[in-house]
Amino acid sequence: SSSMTPTDGRGSNFTDFPYLSAPHRSLMLDLLSRVEDRLGSQLQPYALPPDVEYFQNEAGTSRGSLYAKRGHSSSLVDFVLGIWLNCRLPTGGELNTTSLLGYLKGITDAPNFLLEIIRSGPTSLVLVLDLSPRRDLIMHPDYLKSFYQDTNADAHRQALLSLPEAQPYFSPALYIRSMMSPTASLLKIDAGNEGEGRLEEIVGGQLADASKTMLEIWLDKCALDECGRGTHESERAYLEKRDRIVRGKTIDIDLASSFPPLFGPEIAGRIIGVLREIYGL
Amino acid sequence: SSSMTPTDGRGSNFTDFPYLSAPHRSLMLDLLSRVEDRLGSQLQPYALPPDVEYFQNEAGTSRGSLYAKRGHSSSLVDFVLGIWLNCRLPTGGELNTTSLLGYLKGITDAPNFLLEIIRSGPTSLVLVLDLSPRRDLIMHPDYLKSFYQDTNADAHRQALLSLPEAQPYFSPALYIRSMMSPTASLLKIDAGNEGEGRLEEIVGGQLADASKTMLEIWLDKCALDECGRGTHESERAYLEKRDRIVRGKTIDIDLASSFPPLFGPEIAGRIIGVLREIYGL
C-alpha cells in the first residue's frame, strides 16, 4: 500500500494519506470528516506554509504532512491538528504514524482529544487514544465522573485490551504517562508473523469503533458543550498555565526528539516552530 | 500454611501474620522492621482498641488485624498503618491481603508509601506498590523528576512486569487509578495451575526486592528528608485539602465496600471508624 507515492517534488494533500493501508486511511478520513462536519463553521483554516503542509528530508526517505484548523473566536476549540509521517527505516521497514488532536481553549476545562497510531511495521502498532484531562483528577472527582465514568470511556479501553493481540503500552516518558487519563487506551497491538491481514481487520474494526466513539464523546461533551463547563475568570489563568506546561512538554518530549533524526535539524526546526505557534507557545 | 490459627477467642499479634506463606510473612516482617528501625523514636504506638487490633466475623470465616503508629509532632510522618485480612471464600479458597502504608503530613509534599498484596489463591496475587504522589504531576514536573525519574522508580515496575507470570492490573475504580504515580507497580502475577512454588519464589524474590527498594526510597527521600521538601505555609492548606480528598476517597471506595461483606456491618463499621480516625477524617 506504499505504492501511491506523490509525484516528484510535489506534496500530496494531507487527506491523501498516500502511505496508509486502506482501513487506516479510511479511519483517518472518517474521523477528520466527523470533526469538520460537527464543528463546521467554527473552524477556520490555519495558513500553513507549503513546506510545512508537506515536507520531506533530502534523502527522500522521510516525509510528512500537517493539517491545522483554528477555532473561531466564539468557539471552545483552540485548534484541530493532524500529522502524518512516513519514514523508511534503516532496518528496511517502514514507519507510518498518524495523529489527530483536538485542543480546547481556557474558557472551558473539558479534556482534549488525542489519537495517535504508530505503525512500525505491517503487523504491529502502538495506539494512544484518550480524552486527556485538563484538571488534577484528585482535586476534581466531579470532573472524573463527568468525562470518564459517566461516558463509560473505560469500556473502549477494555474492549481493545480484550483482543488477544493487544497488551498495555507504557510510554518511556513519565511525563507523557502522567498526562493521560485513567481510561486512556495505551496499547501495543501485535498480530504476529504474517498477521498483516489480522492487523488491518483490527484497525478497520475495534480500533476504528473505539476511536470514533471517543471522538463523538469529545465532540458532544467537550468541544460542543457550550454551556457545560465554562470556567470562572479567576481560575482561567491557572488552567491556561497548566495547558501551557502540558503543551510545552508535549513538544519538548515527544516531537522535538523524534523529528530531527527523521528530517534533519533544518526541516525539523521549521516544523516544530510552526507547531509551537499552533500550540500558542 | 493456614494451619497456624490463633487460639480460640484470643487474637494474634499483628506481626504473627498467622495465615501467610513463609516468604510472604518474612517480607512483611522485614518491611515492618525496616520502618521501625529507620523511623525509630519518631513513631509512637497508636492506642488501638483490642477488638480493632484483632477482629473476626461471627461465623469465624473472616479475620483481620491492624497495626498503627503515629509520627511524633516533630516527624514528617503522619502515620504508618498495617492491615492483614484472612477470609475463607464461598468458593472454598482463601483470601489473604496484607497492606503497609506510610502517610506523611502537610509540612512536606513528598509521596506516601503504598504496598498491598492481595492473594485470592495459592497461585496468583495482585500487587499494588507505589510512591503515591501528593502533587498534580502536570503542574510540578520537578516533583516528577525528584521522586520518580531521579529515583529510577520505573526500573522496579519494569523488572516485575518482565516476569512471564506478570501482567498489568487495572483497578476497577478510576479514582484509585488516578491516585497512582506513572511508575506504580499495579500487577497481577499468575503462576498458573500448580504454580504455588513458583509464586512463593517470586514473592520472596523479585516482589520482595522491589518492595524493599521502594520502601528505602520512601524512607530516604520522603519520610526522613527533613530539609528537602518543606512546604510553604501558604500552600499547606491546599495540600492538606488534597490529602483529605484522597484519604476520604480511599476509605469510601476501597475499604467501605470490601469490609461489610466480609465482616458484617457492625465490625466493618467499627474498623472503618478507627481507620477514619487514623486518617484524620
Side-chain angles (χ1 to χ4, degrees), chain A residues 83-137:
Chain A
I83 308 177
W84 64 251
L85 302 176
N86 165 268
C87 309
R88 235 176 290 147
L89 299 173
T91 54
E94 211 174 281
L95 174 75
N96 278 298
T97 79
T98 57
S99 307
L100 182 63
L101 312 172
Y103 276 52
L104 301 181
K105 294 177 189 161
I107 44 173
T108 175
D109 65 0
N112 293 329
F113 179 78
L114 223 71
L115 170 69
E116 200 170 353
I117 301 171
I118 303 157
R119 297 191 59 166
S120 50
T123 61
S124 75
L125 62 82
V126 166
L127 170 71
V128 180
L129 172 63
D130 196 23
L131 303 180
S132 174
R134 292 169 62 218
R135 291 279 193 192
D136 176 11
L137 297 175

Side-chain angles (χ1 to χ4, degrees), chain B residues 80-208:
Chain B
V80 173
L81 176 67
I83 309 176
W84 65 250
L85 302 177
N86 164 267
C87 309
R88 236 176 290 147
L89 298 173
T91 54
E94 210 174 282
L95 174 76
N96 278 297
T97 79
T98 58
S99 307
L100 182 64
L101 312 173
Y103 276 54
L104 302 181
K105 294 177 189 159
I107 44 173
T108 174
D109 65 0
N112 293 329
F113 178 77
L114 224 71
L115 170 68
E116 200 171 353
I117 301 171
I118 303 156
R119 298 191 59 166
S120 51
T123 62
S124 75
L125 63 80
V126 166
L127 170 70
V128 180
L129 173 63
D130 195 23
L131 303 180
S132 174
R134 292 170 62 220
R135 290 280 193 194
D136 175 11
L137 298 176
I138 292 300
M139 283 300 276
H140 299 277
D142 60 313
Y143 190 95
L144 186 68
K145 183 170 185 305
S146 299
F147 294 112
Y148 303 98
Q149 282 163 354
D150 295 351
T151 59
N152 205 15
D154 205 43
H156 307 290
R157 187 192 63 81
Q158 286 176 34
L160 287 168
L161 193 53
S162 74
L163 293 169
E165 295 86 358
Q167 52 177 310
Y169 171 77
F170 295 85
S171 164
L174 300 186
Y175 194 87
I176 301 288
R177 285 188 212 165
S178 306
M179 281 170 43
M180 302 292 167
S181 84
T183 64
S185 291
L186 289 164
L187 300 171
K188 174 157 183 156
I189 301 179
D190 192 336
N193 281 340
E194 314 196 9
E196 188 161 355
R198 174 63 184 142
L199 191 73
E200 296 307 342
E201 197 178 291
I202 294 171
V203 169
Q206 293 91 340
L207 198 160

Side-chain angles (χ1 to χ4, degrees), chain A residues 21-241:
Chain A
S21 69
H24 192 165
R25 180 189 303 119
S26 146
L27 168 60
M28 295 308 297
L29 285 172
D30 187 319
L31 295 173
L32 209 56
S33 74
R34 274 166 203 250
V35 166
E36 298 199 331
D37 286 355
R38 295 288 308 278
L39 296 178
S41 59
Q42 291 198 17
L43 296 179
Q44 50 186 335
Y46 189 89
L48 291 171
D51 61 358
V52 168
E53 215 173 311
Y54 179 82
F55 48 95
Q56 55 181 29
N57 68 350
E58 276 188 32
T61 53
S62 295
R63 70 222 92 225
S65 177
L66 248 63
Y67 158 103
K69 291 198 171 178
R70 196 167 277 295
H72 271 293
S73 57
S74 62
S75 173
L76 298 179
V77 176
D78 190 9
F79 62 83
V80 173
L81 175 67
I83 308 177
W84 64 251
L85 302 176
N86 165 268
C87 309
R88 235 176 290 147
L89 299 173
T91 54
E94 211 174 281
L95 174 75
N96 278 298
T97 79
T98 57
S99 307
L100 182 63
L101 312 172
Y103 276 52
L104 301 181
K105 294 177 189 161
I107 44 173
T108 175
D109 65 0
N112 293 329
F113 179 78
L114 223 71
L115 170 69
E116 200 170 353
I117 301 171
I118 303 157
R119 297 191 59 166
S120 50
T123 61
S124 75
L125 62 82
V126 166
L127 170 71
V128 180
L129 172 63
D130 196 23
L131 303 180
S132 174
R134 292 169 62 218
R135 291 279 193 192
D136 176 11
L137 297 175
I138 292 300
M139 283 299 275
H140 298 277
D142 60 313
Y143 189 94
L144 186 68
K145 184 170 185 304
S146 298
F147 293 112
Y148 303 98
Q149 282 163 354
D150 295 351
T151 58
N152 206 14
D154 204 44
H156 307 289
R157 187 192 63 80
Q158 287 177 32
L160 286 168
L161 192 54
S162 74
L163 292 169
E165 295 86 357
Q167 52 177 310
Y169 171 78
F170 294 85
S171 164
L174 300 185
Y175 195 87
I176 301 289
R177 286 189 212 165
S178 306
M179 282 170 41
M180 303 293 166
S181 84
T183 64
S185 292
L186 288 165
L187 300 171
K188 174 156 184 159
I189 302 179
D190 191 336
N193 281 340
E194 314 197 10
E196 188 162 356
R198 175 62 184 141
L199 191 72
E200 297 307 341
E201 197 178 293
I202 294 171
V203 169
Q206 293 90 339
L207 198 160
D209 290 347
S211 308
K212 289 175 199 174
T213 313
M214 293 292 278
L215 180 63
E216 292 295 342
I217 295 173
W218 182 72
L219 289 166
D220 289 338
K221 295 213 42 155
C222 305
L224 291 165
D225 184 37
E226 297 290 346
C227 41
R229 309 259 339 164
T231 51
H232 294 283
E233 203 147 339
S234 60
E235 49 180 2
R236 202 160 300 156
Y238 185 84
L239 191 64
E240 286 172 351
K241 183 179 172 190

